[in-house]
Amino acid sequence: MVSFEAVELPRVSFPVGLALVAGVAIALRLLWRSDPNKPPMLSDVVPYISNTYQYMGNMDRFLARAKEAVKLKNIVGFHLGPKNFFIITGPQNIQALFRTSPHIDFEVFLLIAIESLWRASPEDYAKFKNDKSGRSATPAKGCENQPESKRYWYTLHRVLHKYLETTQYATMLARHYQRFFSEYLEQRPQGEWTEQTIMGLMKYDMAKAAIVASLGTHLFDMHPNLLDMAWPYDEVLVTLLFKPPRWLFRRAARIQDNFHAAISKYFVDANERFDWNGPDADADWEPIFGSRYFRELVKWMKASELSLQTCAGITSTTGIMGLNANSVPVCAWALMELVQDQELLGAVRDEVSTAFTTDPETGKRTLDSQKVLTLPLLQAVYVEVLRMHVSMNITRAATKPLEVEGYTLPAQSILQAPTQISHYNESVWGVEGHPATEFWAYRNIKYVEEKNPETGETKQVPRFEMRGRPTDFFPYGGGIAICPGRHFAKQEIMLSLALIVSKFEIEFLGWEKFDGSPSDRPPKEDSKYAGAAAVPPDRDMRVRWKRIW
Ligand code: HEM
Ligand SMILES: *[C@@H]1O[C@H](CO)[C@@H](O)[C@H](O)[C@H]1NC(C)=O
Ligand SMILES: *[C@@H]1O[C@H](CO)[C@@H](O)[C@H](O)[C@H]1NC(C)=O
């Protein structure tokens, strides 16, 4: 069993323990002198405890301290419970972290999710835990004789890579997404002003279109209120990830139980209905399992002989939550930025209008989705929102002693590269008048001269040009573990924005809390999601909008 020792906080008689530890700590401090061969460490007022508490409970404060520390050296260490943690930054170190190396392991963390989020049965958990053959086609040293059917990491990676990550399948998924999302938008009355909240739009219409495109319509036929179960689950995922004792988080555990039970029912029913030898087995899309991607994932689950409990867990978390938990808040932030700045909204709308073709006879408009992906300003908005609102602790473990910044870190050290440090690096992203802490749609736009070949006139045209390098911007992680959904996510987010701004006139009405009551301030990031990918806004935006076509 994996338990994340780092969160096993002392539960009994805390003040007494604290006093004792503090005494010992002060004594040790008097003896301890900084060692030039050891990496700098974040000071721990109460060793092993105060940093742990802050890390778990006050991320902003902890990160601020870490940010200060890495100004001097691109590494800073701390203890999280009994574990050695190191926060690393800087282009070379980030690059090293993403490199495939037998000295760096990331499966340790996936195992935590396999246990706490997939809730894999013990036998299935053991399959992953004992598979040391890696994700590459060539098995790791010492595992050459392991049959392919028992190479769980590799075979899963192969499915995700082929059916989710390649352009062909990502684009197919996006095409179906576009079809469903347009359909939902067109349910709004044409030519009539109505009210809408942005998070409401994203959490329901966008998420539903993504689920239907990916997993089919049958799931919603069985569970019309699926999203009302999914979003409360989203709120407790981070808590559940570290597997707190069930008695402490009863509500969270119950939400998870309900969701997994509903998905389990769907999984059984879908498998009974589906004809694996019929023509739909390799269809682009069909109602029962949806996309080729999800159908192949189901096939892999069956071939790996995973229990129903595990299959339901994979479908619930990787299949449904992973699909929406990041794209939805990212798209919501982007739309909120556009609505707040009507000039920017107009500029994006003009740009998007160049990606439509209109049939001269029927007047029917078609969005050229490939063209949408190349629009500079829309792409710049997408990147700016990812930069600001993806907060991911990219985490790897050192299996052997590891050299970083000239220091040798002990084996079993945990290395973390928080996107929040690199994505806010002023020397990379800051522009006069537009610090990295601020949203600025034009941060990654460069104006270049373009000559009209006929008239010879030149004019300034915008180009998308990323200000940072891949080591300054890694919202999707990196290396072999990089998010396989990133191409689909990009298309999904850009297409959604393109459809919304071109189909609707939109005006800002006000900020509100999620219970519908007014808020006197705009949203901040909802810190309970920090470190686990996209961070949603803690307030919603109410708009009035009118569908034009
Ligand atoms: C803006 C949207 C998204 C963001 C920011 C995001 C981010 C991430 C990150 C940071 C990782 C871990 C990478 C690492 O440790 O190096 C990841 C993994 C993953 N993501 Fe995404 N993701 C997004 C959308 C999606 C979508 C739409 C899907 C599915 C269609 C998806 C499926 C997955 C899967 C299956 C993994 C696990 C991959 C593995 O372990 O092999 N993601 N994502
Ligand atoms: C991510 O790291 C920060 C500190 O860098 C910490 O406060 C936070 O709890 C971590 N979050 C997760 C989900 O690991
Ligand atoms: C910020 O960027 C500069 C330039 O690439 C780099 O040298 C430095 O290490 C970065 N700082 C952090 C904290 O990532």
Side-chain angles (χ1 to χ4, degrees), residues 238-250:
V238 181
T239 307
L240 291 167
L241 178 64
F242 295 123
K243 211 168 182 291
R246 276 181 81 87
W247 57 265
L248 208 58
F249 287 95
R250 266 200 206 111

PDB file of all heavy atoms in Angstrom, residues 238-250:
ATOM      1  N   VAL A 238      -8.847  16.902  -4.892  1.00  0.00           N
ATOM      2  CA  VAL A 238      -7.517  17.134  -4.333  1.00  0.00           C
ATOM      3  C   VAL A 238      -7.426  16.559  -2.918  1.00  0.00           C
ATOM      4  O   VAL A 238      -6.431  15.946  -2.543  1.00  0.00           O
ATOM      5  CB  VAL A 238      -7.146  18.635  -4.341  1.00  0.00           C
ATOM      6  CG1 VAL A 238      -5.755  18.849  -3.771  1.00  0.00           C
ATOM      7  CG2 VAL A 238      -7.215  19.202  -5.753  1.00  0.00           C
ATOM      8  N   THR A 239      -8.500  16.766  -2.166  1.00  0.00           N
ATOM      9  CA  THR A 239      -8.543  16.214  -0.807  1.00  0.00           C
ATOM     10  C   THR A 239      -8.429  14.691  -0.854  1.00  0.00           C
ATOM     11  O   THR A 239      -7.653  14.084  -0.107  1.00  0.00           O
ATOM     12  CB  THR A 239      -9.892  16.572  -0.152  1.00  0.00           C
ATOM     13  OG1 THR A 239     -10.067  17.967  -0.265  1.00  0.00           O
ATOM     14  CG2 THR A 239      -9.938  16.144   1.289  1.00  0.00           C
ATOM     15  N   LEU A 240      -9.188  14.081  -1.740  1.00  0.00           N
ATOM     16  CA  LEU A 240      -9.211  12.621  -1.803  1.00  0.00           C
ATOM     17  C   LEU A 240      -7.901  12.042  -2.318  1.00  0.00           C
ATOM     18  O   LEU A 240      -7.516  10.933  -1.963  1.00  0.00           O
ATOM     19  CB  LEU A 240     -10.350  12.153  -2.712  1.00  0.00           C
ATOM     20  CG  LEU A 240     -11.763  12.386  -2.174  1.00  0.00           C
ATOM     21  CD1 LEU A 240     -12.796  12.174  -3.276  1.00  0.00           C
ATOM     22  CD2 LEU A 240     -12.052  11.457  -0.999  1.00  0.00           C
ATOM     23  N   LEU A 241      -7.204  12.825  -3.152  1.00  0.00           N
ATOM     24  CA  LEU A 241      -5.959  12.341  -3.755  1.00  0.00           C
ATOM     25  C   LEU A 241      -4.994  11.831  -2.692  1.00  0.00           C
ATOM     26  O   LEU A 241      -4.362  10.805  -2.851  1.00  0.00           O
ATOM     27  CB  LEU A 241      -5.315  13.473  -4.569  1.00  0.00           C
ATOM     28  CG  LEU A 241      -3.986  13.155  -5.230  1.00  0.00           C
ATOM     29  CD1 LEU A 241      -4.142  12.060  -6.271  1.00  0.00           C
ATOM     30  CD2 LEU A 241      -3.397  14.398  -5.881  1.00  0.00           C
ATOM     31  N   PHE A 242      -4.887  12.579  -1.611  1.00  0.00           N
ATOM     32  CA  PHE A 242      -3.936  12.170  -0.587  1.00  0.00           C
ATOM     33  C   PHE A 242      -4.544  11.223   0.427  1.00  0.00           C
ATOM     34  O   PHE A 242      -4.022  11.007   1.504  1.00  0.00           O
ATOM     35  CB  PHE A 242      -3.307  13.399   0.080  1.00  0.00           C
ATOM     36  CG  PHE A 242      -2.476  14.190  -0.893  1.00  0.00           C
ATOM     37  CD1 PHE A 242      -2.731  15.519  -1.130  1.00  0.00           C
ATOM     38  CD2 PHE A 242      -1.452  13.581  -1.592  1.00  0.00           C
ATOM     39  CE1 PHE A 242      -1.972  16.252  -2.047  1.00  0.00           C
ATOM     40  CE2 PHE A 242      -0.689  14.298  -2.508  1.00  0.00           C
ATOM     41  CZ  PHE A 242      -0.949  15.630  -2.741  1.00  0.00           C
ATOM     42  N   LYS A 243      -5.668  10.639   0.050  1.00  0.00           N
ATOM     43  CA  LYS A 243      -6.272   9.561   0.801  1.00  0.00           C
ATOM     44  C   LYS A 243      -6.372   9.832   2.296  1.00  0.00           C
ATOM     45  O   LYS A 243      -5.762   9.137   3.117  1.00  0.00           O
ATOM     46  CB  LYS A 243      -5.490   8.260   0.579  1.00  0.00           C
ATOM     47  CG  LYS A 243      -6.383   7.039   0.659  1.00  0.00           C
ATOM     48  CD  LYS A 243      -5.658   5.815   0.152  1.00  0.00           C
ATOM     49  CE  LYS A 243      -6.586   4.626   0.192  1.00  0.00           C
ATOM     50  NZ  LYS A 243      -6.917   4.193   1.547  1.00  0.00           N
ATOM     51  N   PRO A 244      -7.131  10.839   2.650  1.00  0.00           N
ATOM     52  CA  PRO A 244      -7.310  11.088   4.073  1.00  0.00           C
ATOM     53  C   PRO A 244      -8.159   9.974   4.650  1.00  0.00           C
ATOM     54  O   PRO A 244      -8.880   9.309   3.905  1.00  0.00           O
ATOM     55  CB  PRO A 244      -8.091  12.404   4.095  1.00  0.00           C
ATOM     56  CG  PRO A 244      -8.850  12.408   2.810  1.00  0.00           C
ATOM     57  CD  PRO A 244      -8.006  11.685   1.816  1.00  0.00           C
ATOM     58  N   PRO A 245      -8.059   9.749   5.936  1.00  0.00           N
ATOM     59  CA  PRO A 245      -8.901   8.697   6.521  1.00  0.00           C
ATOM     60  C   PRO A 245     -10.377   8.994   6.245  1.00  0.00           C
ATOM     61  O   PRO A 245     -10.803  10.136   6.335  1.00  0.00           O
ATOM     62  CB  PRO A 245      -8.588   8.783   8.016  1.00  0.00           C
ATOM     63  CG  PRO A 245      -7.777  10.007   8.218  1.00  0.00           C
ATOM     64  CD  PRO A 245      -7.240  10.449   6.900  1.00  0.00           C
ATOM     65  N   ARG A 246     -11.104   7.965   5.866  1.00  0.00           N
ATOM     66  CA  ARG A 246     -12.498   8.151   5.457  1.00  0.00           C
ATOM     67  C   ARG A 246     -13.338   8.830   6.529  1.00  0.00           C
ATOM     68  O   ARG A 246     -14.197   9.639   6.225  1.00  0.00           O
ATOM     69  CB  ARG A 246     -13.141   6.802   5.105  1.00  0.00           C
ATOM     70  CG  ARG A 246     -12.853   6.351   3.687  1.00  0.00           C
ATOM     71  CD  ARG A 246     -13.535   5.025   3.410  1.00  0.00           C
ATOM     72  NE  ARG A 246     -14.951   5.208   3.080  1.00  0.00           N
ATOM     73  CZ  ARG A 246     -15.388   5.444   1.853  1.00  0.00           C
ATOM     74  NH1 ARG A 246     -14.550   5.525   0.849  1.00  0.00           N
ATOM     75  NH2 ARG A 246     -16.672   5.585   1.620  1.00  0.00           N
ATOM     76  N   TRP A 247     -13.063   8.472   7.800  1.00  0.00           N
ATOM     77  CA  TRP A 247     -13.910   9.024   8.867  1.00  0.00           C
ATOM     78  C   TRP A 247     -13.744  10.532   8.995  1.00  0.00           C
ATOM     79  O   TRP A 247     -14.606  11.235   9.474  1.00  0.00           O
ATOM     80  CB  TRP A 247     -13.649   8.315  10.202  1.00  0.00           C
ATOM     81  CG  TRP A 247     -12.206   8.373  10.659  1.00  0.00           C
ATOM     82  CD1 TRP A 247     -11.255   7.432  10.457  1.00  0.00           C
ATOM     83  CD2 TRP A 247     -11.568   9.443  11.375  1.00  0.00           C
ATOM     84  NE1 TRP A 247     -10.061   7.829  10.985  1.00  0.00           N
ATOM     85  CE2 TRP A 247     -10.229   9.059  11.567  1.00  0.00           C
ATOM     86  CE3 TRP A 247     -11.998  10.681  11.879  1.00  0.00           C
ATOM     87  CZ2 TRP A 247      -9.303   9.861  12.229  1.00  0.00           C
ATOM     88  CZ3 TRP A 247     -11.072  11.484  12.535  1.00  0.00           C
ATOM     89  CH2 TRP A 247      -9.748  11.075  12.707  1.00  0.00           C
ATOM     90  N   LEU A 248     -12.595  11.024   8.512  1.00  0.00           N
ATOM     91  CA  LEU A 248     -12.334  12.451   8.626  1.00  0.00           C
ATOM     92  C   LEU A 248     -13.017  13.234   7.510  1.00  0.00           C
ATOM     93  O   LEU A 248     -13.337  14.392   7.661  1.00  0.00           O
ATOM     94  CB  LEU A 248     -10.817  12.657   8.542  1.00  0.00           C
ATOM     95  CG  LEU A 248     -10.241  13.866   9.243  1.00  0.00           C
ATOM     96  CD1 LEU A 248     -10.571  13.845  10.709  1.00  0.00           C
ATOM     97  CD2 LEU A 248      -8.727  13.883   9.046  1.00  0.00           C
ATOM     98  N   PHE A 249     -13.179  12.578   6.397  1.00  0.00           N
ATOM     99  CA  PHE A 249     -13.759  13.267   5.238  1.00  0.00           C
ATOM    100  C   PHE A 249     -14.940  12.468   4.696  1.00  0.00           C
ATOM    101  O   PHE A 249     -14.934  12.037   3.566  1.00  0.00           O
ATOM    102  CB  PHE A 249     -12.687  13.468   4.165  1.00  0.00           C
ATOM    103  CG  PHE A 249     -11.690  14.523   4.534  1.00  0.00           C
ATOM    104  CD1 PHE A 249     -10.496  14.172   5.142  1.00  0.00           C
ATOM    105  CD2 PHE A 249     -11.960  15.863   4.303  1.00  0.00           C
ATOM    106  CE1 PHE A 249      -9.581  15.149   5.517  1.00  0.00           C
ATOM    107  CE2 PHE A 249     -11.049  16.841   4.664  1.00  0.00           C
ATOM    108  CZ  PHE A 249      -9.862  16.488   5.273  1.00  0.00           C
ATOM    109  N   ARG A 250     -15.917  12.276   5.560  1.00  0.00           N
ATOM    110  CA  ARG A 250     -17.051  11.435   5.192  1.00  0.00           C
ATOM    111  C   ARG A 250     -17.791  11.948   3.985  1.00  0.00           C
ATOM    112  O   ARG A 250     -18.183  11.200   3.113  1.00  0.00           O
ATOM    113  CB  ARG A 250     -18.023  11.340   6.370  1.00  0.00           C
ATOM    114  CG  ARG A 250     -17.710  10.123   7.179  1.00  0.00           C
ATOM    115  CD  ARG A 250     -18.851   9.672   8.041  1.00  0.00           C
ATOM    116  NE  ARG A 250     -18.221   8.954   9.135  1.00  0.00           N
ATOM    117  CZ  ARG A 250     -18.189   9.374  10.388  1.00  0.00           C
ATOM    118  NH1 ARG A 250     -18.807  10.496  10.718  1.00  0.00           N
ATOM    119  NH2 ARG A 250     -17.557   8.686  11.297  1.00  0.00           N
TER     120      ARG A 250
END
